[in-house]
Structure formats: structure tokens, C-alpha cells
Amino acid sequence: MYQIIKPLKILLLIGLLQGCTSVVVDEHKTSVTNSQWQQGEQALVLGRRHSSNYETELSLVSCVADELRSNTPIEVIDELAFINQLYPWFEPRTAPMRLKDMKRLLRNQQIATALQQRNLRYIIWINGNTETTKSSGSIGCAISVGGGGCFGFGSWEKESDYQATIWDLKESKNLGEISADASGTSYMPAVIIPIPLIARVQSNACEAMSQQLTGFFNTGGSDR
């Protein structure tokens, strides 16, 4: 009976630990001025990858783009398809980091024509990343003739820090910036098998930023 009751108690403890996982989201929006957009105009969400220390994850950029597609009337261009079509102008080493660099790039007739054909109105640059800031604990596993298993406990903390800059190409101006910060702790208890209890840090940062962007575009006006 002892061998039966003990695993049940452990599973109950694991369930309680899951409730201890926390994610804190801090949203901040500054000086965003709504502008009137028209039917058929498109937006592009791009990740900045020029830093030598990190690259903005494709998964985060795709998440924000998907949220905008689902919650706004704005048509959102696929990032990789756009980069490939305009190669090499939006590769990390050549991409315009400032609005004045973008204006200079548009003097290239080939690029200007390609953007006009797509009816691209907005470029949303996302800069930042998610990183593990702290980890502790350990898990050991063993295999024997009678079976095997793992025992131990580990945890790790992650932080997400992202900023989005919105360019209006039609008006040739920077409409403002939105930032989203998230942090959380994930747990990995192991009793026979490891059970990960993951904090949705990057997902929460995506949701926070997407909510701000959705509010911006849904109140920006349209003729639809």
C-alpha cells in the first residue's frame, strides 16, 4: 500500500507546483499617433537581427503577425516571403534600421515598385528577445535491470523584452513605439519521469504587444 500511496502524494504535489508558475506582463505605449489607413493597404512585421548578441526570434514575429491577421482588418505580409523577394535589401546586414535609411532605400526604383505593388503601408520593426536569466536544481536519471527513472527538481527563470516601432511609409513618419516585458519561472519536477511546468513567457509578451498593436490599428480609421 505504501508504494501506491506515495506516488499519488507526489503527483498531488506536482499539481500544486503548477499553480506556483507565474508570469508578469508590463505593457507600455508611448506617443503613438493614429493615422488613417485605406482598404487594401498592407502591413509587414519584421524582426531586427542586426545585434551581435541576439536575434529577435522568428516565432515571436510570427506570433505578432498572426494576432494582427486575426484581430485587425489590416492585411499582414509574410516576413520570410518578403525578405526573400527583396533579397538582399532586408537581410540583417543591409536592412534599414532608421526611417531615414528607409527613405534612402526607397530611392531604388526596383524596391519602390515592389512595395507599391504590395501596397505596403506599415512596417512594424520588433526588437528584443527571450532569455534564461537564472536556473537552479538538478535531475538525475538511472537505468537498472528492474527498470529506470529520474528524480530531482529543477527550475529556471526567463525574461522577455520586446519593443515594436511602427513606420508609416505613406506619411514617411515614425508613429511611435510599443514595448512588452514578461517574466516567469518554469519548473521541472522528476519522480520517475520529468514533468515540465512551463511558464508562457514569450507567448505572454506576444499577447501583450499584439493587444496594443491591435488597438492601434482598430482605432486608426478606415474606409471599410
Side-chain angles (χ1 to χ4, degrees), residues 23-51:
V23 177
V24 179
V25 178
D26 179 26
E27 302 173 51
H28 182 59
K29 181 168 61 175
T30 61
S31 65
V32 175
T33 304
N34 295 331
S35 59
Q36 300 293 317
W37 48 265
Q38 305 298 321
Q39 183 175 2
E41 291 178 334
Q42 298 188 343
L44 171 67
V45 183
L46 289 172
R48 291 192 185 273
R49 301 182 178 94
H50 61 284
S51 173

Side-chain angles (χ1 to χ4, degrees), residues 25-161:
V25 178
D26 179 26
E27 302 173 51
H28 182 59
K29 181 168 61 175
T30 61
S31 65
V32 175
T33 304
N34 295 331
S35 59
Q36 300 293 317
W37 48 265
Q38 305 298 321
Q39 183 175 2
E41 291 178 334
Q42 298 188 343
L44 171 67
V45 183
L46 289 172
R48 291 192 185 273
R49 301 182 178 94
H50 61 284
S51 173
S52 60
N53 299 323
Y54 65 87
E55 293 185 351
T56 304
E57 302 93 335
L58 287 171
S59 57
L60 186 281
V61 174
S62 297
C63 177
V64 173
D66 289 341
E67 289 290 325
L68 289 178
R69 289 190 189 98
S70 300
N71 299 307
T72 72
I74 293 287
E75 298 177 35
V76 182
I77 301 172
D78 180 76
E79 180 189 29
L80 290 179
F82 178 85
I83 292 175
N84 291 335
Q85 181 188 8
L86 274 78
Y87 180 85
W89 303 110
F90 284 84
E91 294 294 311
R93 67 182 185 281
T94 55
M97 296 293 103
R98 299 168 298 178
L99 186 58
K100 66 178 183 180
D101 296 330
M102 186 67 195
K103 293 177 181 178
R104 190 179 302 114
L105 188 61
L106 289 174
R107 295 172 188 167
N108 183 313
Q109 191 58 46
Q110 179 182 356
I111 297 173
T113 300
L115 298 188
Q116 289 171 1
Q117 289 175 345
R118 282 185 172 273
N119 203 14
L120 180 62
R121 172 73 182 273
Y122 301 103
I123 291 182
I124 304 168
W125 278 109
I126 298 181
N127 185 30
N129 72 326
T130 296
E131 62 179 352
T132 300
T133 57
K134 183 180 179 181
S135 61
S136 61
S138 63
I139 295 175
C141 299
I143 299 176
S144 64
V145 177
C150 300
F151 184 82
F153 182 85
S155 67
W156 61 97
E157 297 178 6
K158 282 193 172 185
E159 291 186 0
S160 293
D161 183 9

Side-chain angles (χ1 to χ4, degrees), residues 174-215:
N174 186 335
L175 297 181
E177 297 180 354
I178 293 171
S179 65
D181 305 317
S183 61
T185 304
S186 299
Y187 303 103
M188 179 79 80
V191 181
I192 302 176
I193 59 172
I195 301 178
L197 308 173
I198 305 299
R200 299 173 61 250
V201 178
Q202 188 185 83
S203 297
N204 277 271
C206 168
E207 291 170 7
M209 179 167 288
S210 299
Q211 185 177 11
Q212 294 278 26
L213 290 170
T214 296

